Amino acid sequence: MLSTLAADELLVAETFGPTVQGEGPSTGRRAVFIRLMNCNLSCKTCDTPYTWDGTRFDLDAETTVTSIGDLLAWATAQPVDMAVITGGEPLIQQRRLTALARGLADAGLQVEVETNGTIPPTPDLLAWVTRFNVSPKLSTFGAGMPVSRRIKGQVLRQFAVSGQAVFKFVVSTIGDLDEITELVADHELETVYVMPEGRTAAEITRRLGEIADEAIARGFHLTTRLQLLAWGDQRGR
Ligand code: SF4
C-alpha cells in the first residue's frame, strides 16, 4: 500500500491523546500519540500486532491513510507540548515521517520517535526529532527471529553517536540482563533503560521487582509501563 500513497500521506494505525508517555525518560509527561502501520520484525510478544500481522488482523481495515496536514492539525490542536510517533516501525515510512516530525517541531512540539533500531535514521529525520526511544529486541522477546534480523549493530551505533537516542530493552527474565550487558558493550550504547515485559499491572510489578536491583547494579535505568498501570491493556491509551 505504501507505493500507492501520495507524497503527503502516511499509513496510520491510530492517533490518541492527550495521554501520557508511559515508558522511558519522559514517563508521565503529557503527550499525543501517532501510531504508524507496518513493521519489519515479527516479535512473539508484540503488543501492537494489528500494525503488521496480516495473519491475525485485516491490515486494510486497521489502516487509515491520513495526510500529514491532517495529522499536524490534530496534534497541534491538543493542549500538550510533546508528540510521540510510534508503531509498528515508524522508520519504514521515513521520508513522510520526516515531514511529519518537521511539522510538529516547527509548531513547537517536542518529538519522540519509538523504533526497533534496525533502520538507519537519515540526517533529515535526526534534525527534527528530539529523542529516539530505541528498543532493540532480545532473543526472548523476538523469539524465532535470527539475531541478524533483530540486531543491526551499525544502526545501533548510528543512533548512539547521534546523542539523540536512549535504548530501552523489554525484559522478560532476569537472564535477559546478560544479553543486554553484551549488546551495550558490543555497540557502546549509553543511556540504557530496562522495562519489564507484561500486559497486566500484576505482571509488570512482579517483573520490575525481580529485575530492579540487578539492573541498577549493572548501570541501567528502570522504567515501568505507566499506561498499563493506569488503564490496563486498553488500546489507544
Ligand atoms: S518491533 Fe515492535 S512493533 Fe515490530 S513486531 Fe516487534 S514489538 Fe511489534
Side-chain angles (χ1 to χ4, degrees):
M1 191 187 286
L2 200 51
S3 60
T4 62
L5 281 184
D8 69 338
E9 291 176 332
L10 281 152
L11 301 178
V12 177
E14 56 196 353
T15 58
F16 53 95
T19 181
V20 293
Q21 168 59 293
E23 304 170 3
S26 298
T27 295
R29 188 162 164 190
R30 283 155 51 92
V32 291
F33 275 69
I34 298 170
R35 185 184 306 285
L36 302 185
M37 290 294 292
N38 295 329
C39 190
N40 57 339
L41 300 184
S42 51
C43 302
K44 186 183 71 168
T45 41
C46 178
D47 58 1
T48 55
Y50 51 89
T51 62
W52 59 269
D53 189 352
T55 67
R56 288 189 284 164
F57 297 88
D58 179 347
L59 297 184
D60 286 341
E62 297 288 347
T63 302
T64 305
V65 175
T66 312
S67 74
I68 292 167
D70 283 352
L71 290 169
L72 291 176
W74 171 76
T76 58
Q78 309 301 320
V80 299
D81 63 1
M82 189 170 85
V84 181
I85 306 173
T86 186
E89 173 44 61
L91 270 66
I92 288 175
Q93 303 183 66
Q94 184 157 188
R95 190 163 48 82
R96 295 170 172 91
L97 167 62
T98 301
L100 175 62
R102 177 178 184 159
L104 292 166
D106 279 346
L109 275 75
Q110 296 203 353
V111 181
E112 288 196 352
V113 171
E114 304 194 322
T115 174
N116 60 31
T118 59
I119 299 174
T122 63
D124 271 359
L125 183 62
L126 285 165
W128 300 110
V129 172
T130 314
R131 176 160 53 224
F132 291 89
N133 297 314
V134 182
S135 186
K137 302 310 176 197
L138 301 177
S139 51
T140 48
F141 192 85
M145 283 187 292
V147 64
S148 59
R149 187 171 167 211
R150 294 182 280 110
I151 303 294
K152 304 288 185 188
Q154 279 192 327
V155 179
L156 295 181
R157 279 301 298 149
Q158 197 174 337
F159 278 113
V161 300
S162 76
Q164 293 168 245
V166 302
F167 297 87
K168 181 182 70 183
F169 292 89
V170 182
V171 171
S172 304
T173 70
I174 197 158
D176 288 343
L177 297 178
D178 289 338
E179 193 175 342
I180 297 171
T181 300
E182 201 172 314
L183 286 169
V184 166
D186 286 352
H187 306 296
E188 301 176 60
L189 308 183
E190 293 181 3
T191 319
V192 175
Y193 284 74
V194 297
M195 180 177 82
E197 195 266 325
R199 303 294 287 270
T200 67
E203 275 182 310
I204 293 286
T205 304
R206 176 177 58 79
R207 284 211 172 95
L208 189 62
E210 288 170 1
I211 64 175
D213 286 340
E214 183 62 22
I216 293 165
R218 293 184 187 223
F220 304 146
H221 304 290
L222 284 174
T223 178
T224 184
R225 304 187 70 196
L226 193 60
Q227 74 282 17
L228 206 144
L229 300 182
W231 299 294
D233 195 19
Q234 280 184 44
R235 186 167 163 178
R237 297 305 302 263

